[in-house]
Amino acid sequence: MTHPLEQALANVGSMTEAGTLPIIVLDLDSTLFDTAPRNLRILREFALSNHHKPDIAAVVDTMSLADMGWNVTGALKKAGVDDDELLAALKKFWAQRFFTDEYLAFDEPSPGAVSYCHELWNAGALLYYLTGRHIGGMELGTLRNLVRHNFPWGSGRTVMHLKPSFHQSDEEFKQDAIRAIESLGGQVAAAFENEPANCNLLHAAFPNAASYFLDTVHSPRPDRPHEAALWLKDFRR
Ligand SMILES: [Mg+2]
């Protein structure tokens, strides 16, 4: 059986042959990038800043990247911390850092993601990096991430599309993004997402594209990926 990752490449090949621009839509957080190092870093800084509460430092000290889930308060709760005041303080501390250029520097590419993106690009695809990270705080860090880890960037056929403001709703942003993708005049060959609701939204907009669901971490929303979604853990074959 061929690996699911071959489907996107096959679509790119046939579209290129037919003279159509193949577009690959790529989410960043928990799709192309693993955000666990960013979360663990923030958690460790929080523990350091609460040195008057040695219990927290001791708990955080036992935690690893594998303990980082969708959010850090959940991870800490799971590790046995039930001090609501402290968890609320962590939530605030986390939000002040997680959505910043500076802390994006800790993200690591998902295994296999860089070389797979090069394969798609070399086959003629336009890579459309689509992320809910916002302009006015995260665009430089996002660009640095792409460049630092050698993702295709800056040689033509790449787009980086961020949310125009932190406060725009995700729903409105995704609808705007779909219109922007359509305006390119090509055809979406594949889309990669870790949020089931976004995976389904892209599938509804581009039903002929290969639709990938990255089974990493996602929000507690109850959505399930649609039936035809191709499931991946990362980009290794
Ligand atoms: Mg994501």
Side-chain angles (χ1 to χ4, degrees), residues 180-220:
I181 292 164
E182 285 167 345
S183 77
L184 296 172
Q187 202 181 334
V188 177
F192 296 80
E193 252 293 347
N194 70 299
E195 275 298 332
N198 293 343
C199 177
N200 296 346
L201 198 85
L202 288 165
H203 178 62
F206 309 112
N208 297 322
S211 173
Y212 292 89
F213 170 65
L214 271 289
D215 183 20
T216 54
V217 295
H218 59 81
S219 75

Coordinates of all heavy atoms in Angstrom, one line a residue, residues 180-220:
A180 N -9.0 34.0 -0.4 CA -7.7 34.4 -0.9 C -7.0 33.2 -1.7 O -6.3 33.5 -2.7 CB -6.8 34.8 0.3
I181 N -7.2 32.0 -1.2 CA -6.6 30.8 -1.9 C -7.3 30.7 -3.3 O -6.6 30.5 -4.3 CB -6.8 29.6 -1.1 CG1 -5.9 29.7 0.2 CG2 -6.4 28.3 -1.9 CD1 -6.3 28.6 1.3
E182 N -8.6 30.8 -3.3 CA -9.3 30.7 -4.6 C -8.9 31.8 -5.6 O -8.9 31.5 -6.8 CB -10.9 30.8 -4.3 CG -11.4 29.6 -3.7 CD -12.8 29.7 -3.1 OE1 -13.3 30.9 -2.9 OE2 -13.5 28.7 -2.8
S183 N -8.5 32.9 -5.1 CA -8.2 34.0 -6.0 C -6.9 33.8 -6.7 O -6.6 34.5 -7.7 CB -8.1 35.4 -5.2 OG -6.9 35.4 -4.4
L184 N -6.1 32.8 -6.3 CA -4.8 32.5 -6.9 C -5.1 31.8 -8.3 O -4.2 31.8 -9.1 CB -4.0 31.6 -6.1 CG -3.5 32.2 -4.7 CD1 -2.8 31.2 -3.9 CD2 -2.5 33.4 -5.0
G185 N -6.2 31.3 -8.5 CA -6.6 30.7 -9.8 C -6.0 29.3 -10.0 O -6.2 28.8 -11.1
G186 N -5.4 28.7 -9.1 CA -4.9 27.4 -9.2 C -5.9 26.4 -8.7 O -7.1 26.6 -8.8
Q187 N -5.4 25.2 -8.2 CA -6.3 24.2 -7.7 C -5.6 23.6 -6.4 O -4.4 23.4 -6.4 CB -6.5 23.1 -8.7 CG -7.7 22.3 -8.5 CD -7.9 21.2 -9.5 OE1 -7.4 21.3 -10.6 NE2 -8.6 20.1 -9.1
V188 N -6.4 23.5 -5.4 CA -5.8 23.0 -4.1 C -5.6 21.5 -4.3 O -6.5 20.7 -4.6 CB -6.7 23.3 -2.9 CG1 -6.1 22.7 -1.6 CG2 -6.8 24.8 -2.7
A189 N -4.3 21.1 -4.2 CA -4.0 19.7 -4.3 C -4.1 18.9 -3.0 O -4.4 17.7 -3.0 CB -2.5 19.5 -4.9
A190 N -3.8 19.6 -1.9 CA -3.8 19.0 -0.6 C -3.9 20.1 0.5 O -3.4 21.2 0.3 CB -2.6 18.1 -0.4
A191 N -4.4 19.7 1.6 CA -4.5 20.6 2.8 C -4.1 19.7 4.0 O -4.5 18.6 4.1 CB -5.8 21.2 3.0
F192 N -3.3 20.4 4.9 CA -2.8 19.7 6.1 C -3.2 20.5 7.3 O -2.9 21.7 7.4 CB -1.3 19.6 6.1 CG -0.8 18.7 5.0 CD1 -0.7 19.2 3.7 CD2 -0.4 17.4 5.2 CE1 -0.2 18.4 2.6 CE2 0.1 16.6 4.2 CZ 0.2 17.1 2.9
E193 N -3.9 19.8 8.3 CA -4.4 20.5 9.5 C -4.5 19.6 10.7 O -4.7 18.4 10.5 CB -5.9 21.0 9.2 CG -6.1 22.4 9.0 CD -5.9 23.3 10.2 OE1 -5.8 22.8 11.4 OE2 -5.8 24.5 10.1
N194 N -4.3 20.1 11.9 CA -4.4 19.3 13.1 C -5.7 19.6 13.8 O -6.1 18.8 14.7 CB -3.2 19.6 14.0 CG -3.3 21.0 14.6 OD1 -3.3 22.0 13.9 ND2 -3.5 21.1 16.0
E195 N -6.4 20.7 13.4 CA -7.7 20.9 14.1 C -8.8 20.3 13.3 O -9.0 20.7 12.1 CB -8.0 22.4 14.2 CG -7.4 23.1 15.4 CD -7.9 22.6 16.7 OE1 -9.1 22.1 16.8 OE2 -7.1 22.7 17.7
P196 N -9.6 19.3 13.8 CA -10.6 18.7 13.1 C -11.6 19.7 12.4 O -11.9 19.5 11.2 CB -11.4 17.8 14.1 CG -10.3 17.5 15.1 CD -9.5 18.8 15.2
A197 N -12.0 20.7 13.1 CA -12.9 21.7 12.5 C -12.3 22.4 11.3 O -13.0 22.6 10.2 CB -13.4 22.7 13.5
N198 N -11.1 22.7 11.3 CA -10.4 23.4 10.2 C -10.2 22.4 9.0 O -10.3 22.8 7.9 CB -9.1 24.0 10.6 CG -9.2 25.1 11.6 OD1 -10.3 25.7 11.7 ND2 -8.1 25.4 12.3
C199 N -9.9 21.2 9.4 CA -9.7 20.1 8.4 C -11.0 20.0 7.6 O -11.0 19.9 6.4 CB -9.3 18.8 9.2 SG -9.2 17.4 8.1
N200 N -12.1 20.0 8.3 CA -13.4 19.8 7.7 C -13.8 21.0 6.9 O -14.4 20.9 5.8 CB -14.5 19.5 8.8 CG -14.2 18.2 9.5 OD1 -13.4 17.4 9.1 ND2 -14.9 18.0 10.6
L201 N -13.5 22.2 7.4 CA -13.8 23.4 6.6 C -13.0 23.5 5.3 O -13.6 23.8 4.3 CB -13.3 24.6 7.5 CG -13.9 26.0 7.2 CD1 -15.2 26.2 7.9 CD2 -12.9 27.1 7.7
L202 N -11.8 23.1 5.3 CA -11.0 23.1 4.1 C -11.5 22.0 3.1 O -11.5 22.2 1.9 CB -9.5 22.9 4.4 CG -8.8 24.1 5.1 CD1 -7.5 23.7 5.7 CD2 -8.6 25.2 4.1
H203 N -11.9 20.9 3.7 CA -12.4 19.8 2.9 C -13.7 20.3 2.2 O -13.9 19.9 1.0 CB -12.6 18.6 3.7 CG -13.2 17.4 2.9 ND1 -12.5 16.8 1.9 CD2 -14.3 16.8 3.1 CE1 -13.3 15.9 1.4 NE2 -14.4 15.8 2.1
A204 N -14.5 21.0 2.9 CA -15.8 21.5 2.3 C -15.5 22.5 1.2 O -16.2 22.5 0.2 CB -16.7 22.1 3.4
A205 N -14.5 23.3 1.4 CA -14.2 24.3 0.4 C -13.5 23.7 -0.8 O -13.6 24.2 -2.0 CB -13.3 25.4 1.0
F206 N -12.6 22.7 -0.6 CA -11.8 22.1 -1.6 C -12.0 20.6 -1.6 O -11.1 19.9 -1.3 CB -10.3 22.5 -1.4 CG -10.1 24.0 -1.3 CD1 -9.7 24.5 -0.1 CD2 -10.3 24.9 -2.3 CE1 -9.5 25.9 0.1 CE2 -10.2 26.2 -2.2 CZ -9.7 26.7 -0.9
P207 N -13.2 20.1 -2.0 CA -13.5 18.7 -1.9 C -12.6 17.8 -2.7 O -12.5 16.6 -2.4 CB -15.0 18.6 -2.3 CG -15.3 19.9 -3.0 CD -14.3 20.9 -2.6
N208 N -12.0 18.3 -3.8 CA -11.1 17.4 -4.6 C -9.7 17.3 -4.1 O -8.9 16.5 -4.6 CB -11.2 17.9 -6.0 CG -12.6 17.8 -6.6 OD1 -13.3 16.9 -6.3 ND2 -12.9 18.8 -7.4
A209 N -9.4 18.1 -3.1 CA -8.0 18.1 -2.6 C -7.8 16.9 -1.6 O -8.8 16.5 -1.0 CB -7.7 19.4 -1.9
A210 N -6.6 16.4 -1.6 CA -6.3 15.4 -0.5 C -6.4 16.1 0.8 O -5.8 17.2 1.0 CB -4.9 14.8 -0.7
S211 N -7.0 15.6 1.8 CA -7.3 16.3 3.1 C -6.6 15.5 4.2 O -7.0 14.3 4.5 CB -8.8 16.3 3.3 OG -9.0 16.9 4.6
Y212 N -5.6 16.1 4.8 CA -4.8 15.4 5.8 C -5.1 15.9 7.2 O -5.2 17.1 7.4 CB -3.3 15.6 5.6 CG -2.8 14.9 4.3 CD1 -2.8 15.6 3.1 CD2 -2.3 13.6 4.4 CE1 -2.3 14.9 1.9 CE2 -1.8 12.9 3.2 CZ -1.9 13.6 2.0 OH -1.4 13.0 0.9
F213 N -5.3 15.0 8.1 CA -5.5 15.3 9.5 C -4.3 14.9 10.3 O -3.9 13.7 10.3 CB -6.8 14.6 10.0 CG -6.9 14.8 11.5 CD1 -7.1 16.0 12.1 CD2 -6.8 13.7 12.4 CE1 -7.2 16.1 13.5 CE2 -6.9 13.8 13.8 CZ -7.1 15.0 14.3
L214 N -3.6 15.9 10.9 CA -2.4 15.6 11.7 C -2.9 15.2 13.1 O -3.4 16.1 13.9 CB -1.5 16.8 11.8 CG -0.4 16.9 10.7 CD1 0.7 15.8 10.9 CD2 -1.0 16.8 9.3
D215 N -2.7 14.0 13.5 CA -3.2 13.5 14.8 C -2.2 13.8 15.9 O -1.4 12.9 16.3 CB -3.5 12.0 14.7 CG -4.1 11.4 15.9 OD1 -4.6 12.1 16.7 OD2 -4.0 10.2 16.1
T216 N -2.0 15.1 16.2 CA -1.0 15.5 17.2 C -1.8 16.0 18.5 O -2.2 15.1 19.3 CB -0.2 16.7 16.6 OG1 -1.0 17.7 16.1 CG2 0.7 16.1 15.4
V217 N -2.0 17.3 18.6 CA -2.8 17.8 19.7 C -3.9 18.7 19.1 O -3.6 19.3 18.0 CB -2.0 18.5 20.8 CG1 -1.1 17.6 21.5 CG2 -1.3 19.7 20.2
H218 N -5.0 18.8 19.6 CA -6.0 19.7 19.1 C -6.9 20.2 20.3 O -6.9 19.7 21.4 CB -6.8 19.2 18.0 CG -7.6 17.9 18.3 ND1 -8.8 17.9 18.9 CD2 -7.3 16.6 18.1 CE1 -9.2 16.7 19.1 NE2 -8.3 15.9 18.6
S219 N -7.7 21.2 20.0 CA -8.6 21.8 21.0 C -9.6 20.8 21.5 O -9.9 19.8 20.8 CB -9.3 23.1 20.4 OG -10.3 22.7 19.5
P220 N -10.3 21.1 22.6 CA -11.3 20.2 23.1 C -12.6 20.3 22.3 O -13.6 19.6 22.7 CB -11.4 20.6 24.6 CG -10.9 21.9 24.7 CD -10.0 22.2 23.5

